[in-house]
Amino acid sequence: MSDKPSVLFVCVHNAGRSQMAAAWLTHLAGDRVEVRSAGSRPGAAVNPAAVAAMAEVGIDISAETPKILTVDTVRESDVCITMDCGDTCPVFPGKRYLDWKLADPAGRGVEAVRPIRDEIKVLVEDLIEDLIEGLITEIAPGPAA
């Protein structure tokens, strides 16, 4: 892993969980971590409830757009995190793969998205601690099927 670790967040539509996780990591870690997000079947826009929930905590994701997951995006990332969505990343040696068990905010109002947002924040805070302290050093074989 380089001096500046890179993290990729993946969910199917790249419209809710992965966008919120990327925003939290960018907000909390600043330029200490390179942040990416993508999805296997990107949606047309970021979930409005996710945008509203993040705005409540002072983070603006309204200009974000869902992006397609590519092999290159995975290859360029040190840590690949899926969001309990059935998506998998191509497996490359030297990568750390994690799967976060999170509810899907699709089709839910902001009231239902708030707890998901807050859970993601806690997971991201733990991730930052691991990244910054160098605790993510062993490489997992990839996500479990």
Side-chain angles (χ1 to χ4, degrees):
M1 199 177 295
S2 69
D3 289 341
K4 185 175 181 176
S6 58
V7 176
L8 169 64
F9 295 102
V10 178
C11 67
V12 175
H13 300 294
N14 189 222
R17 296 168 288 191
S18 58
Q19 291 285 352
M20 289 190 288
W24 273 123
L25 184 55
T26 299
H27 179 76
L28 296 170
D31 63 358
R32 296 179 293 170
V33 179
E34 187 175 338
V35 182
R36 300 178 178 92
S37 70
S40 59
R41 290 181 283 132
V46 175
N47 180 334
V51 172
M54 294 302 287
E56 290 177 350
V57 294
I59 300 173
D60 182 5
I61 62 171
S62 63
E64 297 299 323
T65 57
K67 295 167 269 325
I68 187 76
L69 177 65
T70 67
V71 170
D72 287 339
T73 305
V74 176
R75 184 179 289 126
E76 295 166 1
S77 302
D78 298 310
V79 180
C80 301
I81 301 172
T82 55
M83 306 280 172
D84 193 34
C85 54
D87 260 5
T88 58
C89 293
V91 176
F92 292 100
K95 307 289 176 216
R96 173 79 175 173
Y97 294 86
L98 303 170
D99 186 52
W100 289 353
K101 307 292 184 200
L102 297 163
D104 187 351
R108 299 180 183 203
V110 69
E111 300 80 18
V113 174
R114 285 183 190 120
I116 300 167
R117 173 202 65 202
D118 296 343
E119 185 177 359
I120 291 170
K121 180 183 182 195
V122 171
L123 290 166
V124 166
E125 289 170 336
D126 291 345
L127 176 68
I128 291 168
E129 185 176 317
D130 290 349
L131 289 170
I132 302 307
E133 293 183 10
L135 298 177
I136 294 183
T137 54
E138 71 178 52
I139 305 305

